Amino acid sequence: MGCYNALKPWRSLHTMEFDMLTANAMPYNEANGTQAIGKGEHLSTTALIGSLWKNCYVGIGRTNTFIANVGGVDMDELEKAKMVGEAKFLRAFYYLSLVDKFGGVPLIIDAPNADEQAELPRNSKEEVVNQIVKDLEEAAAVLPDTYASSDLGRATKGAALALKARTLLYNSRWAEAAQAAKQVMESGVYQLFNDYRHFFSEDNKYNCEVIFDIEAKLPEYPTDYDQNIWRLNRPAPLKELVDTYLCVDGKTIEESPLYDPTRPYENRDPRLLKSIVCIGYPYLGKTITKEDVATTGFGVKKYTSYEDDVTIPLVERSAFNFILIRYAEVLLTYAEAQNEASGPDQSVYDAINQLRRRPDINMPEVPKGLTKDQMREVIRRERRIELTFEGLYYSDILRWKTAEKENFPHFRKYKKSNHPALIVGEQKGKKTDNQGKERETDEYKYRKVMHNEKDGNSPNEKVEPNPNPKDP
């Protein structure tokens, strides 16, 4: 119980919170240092950094304690071996969370001993990754494919293989990552759920796509996603993310003749309106206004109890299981790893097209004849869209080495003040100066966008002439 209980911070703090370190989303406040990390201005004492380090080693300490002591327990040996496999899976999860963000860290696989372990040096990243892979291989060898209903939520063989695939992908071990993902795909245990919007619902939390999650239960172990995501508008999606969604013809908004900037959310990949609350569209039985999504003009639908066309009171507590690994990620892991290892063969197309053929999505298949580089861009966009707000995108832009490129244009738009100025997305022909003002280069117009105003979302947004036309 204690080994699994250490996962609680990953229900939001170490998952959705990390999307707010990217151009996917922002918080309404700076409680955990998300903006500082995104801008590269953080310290070792920044809350999100310190809490991740601490929480990972809490989990590692508990799993090490269990592994060190369970051998002396009089119980069925097969059951004992399975439980050790669960502990090794969890230890690998905690270490991957560390090594992904910090690189090499102290590698401790013995029971906690402050006298011996308090001042250990860092091991190399390679040493830690090799231990993660070893733990996961040993776990996969003893864990079952599935559990009875009373044990749902415990680590399975598929979870160990999927986490192994993620680990190898994150470390550019392409062929090995593709093989691990393929083992999950060929197991026959998992498949895509047929309803993307309601995949993230309490009623469907044990659906066929879930590989590993964090269990919630009312009243003992509730979640507060409805309160945080809807009432607090946290995380608040950004226009940079919204613009990433393709049009229904499979083309970008820059390329598609179907894109209408006056109705920007029409004719878009259905995952857009299934994931994100947009101004002018129904949610909670009403038409959304800018006051409803005050931080950026967008809200998140994933992990909320609300429907577009039904009005219900605010849900204070729910029992959503936060999904840490799902089958869609395995398909994307396979596609990326196989493309990097061997190029865009048919199996790469098939993996991506499975996601696009989900019955309620039905997007066009990936165009044939792509180069390896072109397919890489398709896969990266698909990961960002499919897995948005699931805590993986920050890790992606770190390993792709695109974080500086993606975050710099976004985070430089913020102005530090008691009421932070927010410029959400830059429109063509405009630039943002260091005073937080947006200027059109041809007509010298400006608009200062403050905390409760939006860029590109309000049809009544006022643009005033620059009082000093000589000031560019």
Side-chain angles (χ1 to χ4, degrees):
M1 178 65 178
C3 298
Y4 281 98
N5 188 259
L7 287 168
K8 286 177 66 177
W10 277 263
R11 294 191 303 187
S12 178
L13 182 63
H14 300 323
T15 47
M16 281 187 280
E17 199 80 10
F18 276 91
D19 268 78
M20 292 184 277
L21 308 185
T22 75
N24 276 1
M26 67 167 289
Y28 74 91
N29 63 10
E30 260 287 74
N32 294 308
T34 50
Q35 300 300 296
I37 297 171
K39 290 184 288 186
E41 298 175 355
H42 56 280
L43 304 172
S44 61
T45 54
T46 298
L48 192 57
I49 293 173
S51 63
L52 178 62
W53 184 275
K54 173 187 173 182
N55 293 330
C56 285
Y57 276 111
V58 166
I60 290 164
R62 291 181 183 182
T63 56
N64 285 343
T65 298
F66 179 85
I67 294 169
N69 290 282
V70 71
V73 177
D74 184 14
M75 62 182 294
D76 180 82
E77 291 300 319
L78 290 177
E79 182 68 14
K80 184 186 296 185
K82 180 183 69 64
M83 295 176 72
V84 170
E86 292 177 75
K88 288 183 176 180
F89 166 84
L90 291 168
R91 182 168 70 185
F93 178 86
Y94 299 129
Y95 266 122
L96 180 59
S97 298
L98 281 172
V99 79
D100 175 48
K101 304 301 189 303
F102 297 103
V105 297
L107 178 59
I108 304 169
I109 57 174
D110 297 318
N113 183 320
D115 292 336
E116 296 179 1
Q117 299 168 354
E119 297 184 3
L120 288 175
R122 291 174 181 251
N123 290 75
S124 70
K125 180 179 180 182
E126 182 179 13
E127 288 175 312
V128 182
V129 169
N130 287 341
Q131 180 63 48
I132 293 169
V133 173
K134 180 176 183 289
D135 276 350
L136 292 171
E137 288 175 344
E138 292 175 356
V142 296
L143 291 175
D145 288 327
T146 59
Y147 288 97
S149 58
S150 59
D151 284 324
L152 290 175
R154 301 176 78 164
T156 61
K157 178 178 182 177
L161 291 171
L163 189 61
K164 177 185 174 183
R166 182 192 289 181
T167 302
L168 295 166
L169 182 80
Y170 281 13
N171 290 277
S172 303
R173 293 165 61 172
W174 307 120
E176 295 172 88
Q179 181 57 34
K182 190 175 182 180
Q183 286 181 266
V184 181
M185 293 160 62
E186 292 179 344
S187 70
V189 177
Y190 309 100
Q191 60 186 14
L192 295 177
F193 189 58
N194 61 9
D195 185 345
Y196 184 83
R197 171 69 181 97
H198 295 103
F199 171 83
F200 304 93
S201 71
E202 192 171 334
D203 289 341
N204 296 317
K205 62 184 181 181
Y206 295 118
N207 70 71
C208 56
E209 190 172 336
V210 177
I211 296 178
F212 186 67
D213 60 16
I214 303 174
E215 296 288 299
K217 181 184 177 183
L218 291 174
E220 299 96 331
Y221 305 106
T223 55
D224 54 3
Y225 297 132
D226 291 294
Q227 164 121 338
N228 288 339
I229 293 174
W230 175 240
R231 174 180 272 182
L232 301 182
N233 192 201
R234 194 177 200 276
L238 288 160
K239 188 173 183 291
E240 286 90 338
L241 170 63
V242 173
D243 287 348
T244 303
Y245 287 80
L246 300 173
C247 293
V248 293
D249 58 3
K251 297 179 179 179
T252 67
I253 62 173
E254 293 82 11
E255 300 169 332
S256 176
L258 299 178
Y259 179 69
D260 180 354
T262 66
R263 304 181 69 191
Y265 317 125
E266 295 293 311
N267 298 315
R268 302 289 292 278
D269 183 327
R271 285 172 290 189
L272 172 57
L273 291 176
K274 292 178 184 293
S275 302
I276 296 177
V277 179
C278 297
I279 291 173
Y281 285 77
Y283 190 59
L284 259 175
K286 66 175 185 175
T287 299
I288 295 300
T289 66
K290 66 180 183 179
E291 287 74 21
D292 296 316
V293 282
T295 306
T296 64
F298 300 102
V300 173
K301 291 184 181 179
K302 282 185 177 180
Y303 290 109
T304 63
S305 304
Y306 311 121
E307 298 288 344
D308 291 348
D309 55 355
V310 178
T311 302
I312 63 172
L314 176 69
V315 178
E316 296 285 350
R317 294 289 184 267
S318 60
F320 283 96
N321 293 348
F322 191 88
I323 300 160
L324 292 173
I325 309 173
R326 62 185 178 103
Y327 188 57
E329 183 201 343
V330 173
L331 293 174
L332 288 161
T333 293
Y334 176 81
E336 182 177 352
Q338 183 68 8
N339 183 59
E340 296 298 337
S342 305
D345 61 28
Q346 186 58 46
S347 68
V348 176
Y349 283 88
D350 291 344
I352 299 298
N353 289 335
Q354 280 191 59
L355 297 171
R356 295 190 174 194
R357 286 196 299 264
R358 198 190 293 260
D360 63 331
I361 303 303
N362 198 28
M363 284 288 287
E365 295 187 349
V366 178
K368 295 286 188 180
L370 298 183
T371 65
K372 181 177 181 177
D373 290 346
Q374 289 171 328
M375 180 60 82
R376 180 184 298 123
E377 295 308 310
V378 168
I379 293 167
R380 289 181 178 186
R381 182 187 294 265
E382 201 76 22
R383 277 187 70 92
R384 185 177 188 182
I385 290 169
E386 175 70 24
L387 304 175
T388 191
F389 306 119
E390 297 178 43
L392 299 177
Y393 191 60
Y394 183 63
S395 298
D396 285 342
I397 63 174
L398 290 182
R399 65 188 180 84
W400 293 335
K401 296 179 171 58
T402 60
E404 182 177 1
K405 177 183 176 182
E406 293 194 29
N407 279 6
F408 180 71
H410 159 60
F411 283 107
R412 71 184 175 85
K413 297 168 190 173
Y414 293 92
K415 176 187 175 182
K416 289 185 177 180
S417 69
N418 291 331
H419 301 284
L422 170 64
I423 306 294
V424 185
E426 290 182 296
Q427 300 177 18
K428 188 175 181 180
K430 297 182 179 180
K431 64 180 182 180
T432 307
D433 67 16
N434 60 10
Q435 298 299 313
K437 298 178 181 179
E438 184 178 90
R439 304 185 187 277
E440 292 185 349
T441 56
D442 53 350
E443 297 179 17
Y444 300 107
K445 295 179 180 178
Y446 81 99
R447 183 185 71 251
K448 187 176 183 181
V449 183
M450 295 303 289
H451 184 67
N452 289 325
E453 297 178 7
K454 319 299 173 298
D455 177 27
N457 289 295
S458 172
N460 298 318
E461 191 174 62
K462 185 177 181 181
V463 179
E464 301 175 4
N466 187 343
N468 184 3
K470 292 182 180 181
D471 179 12

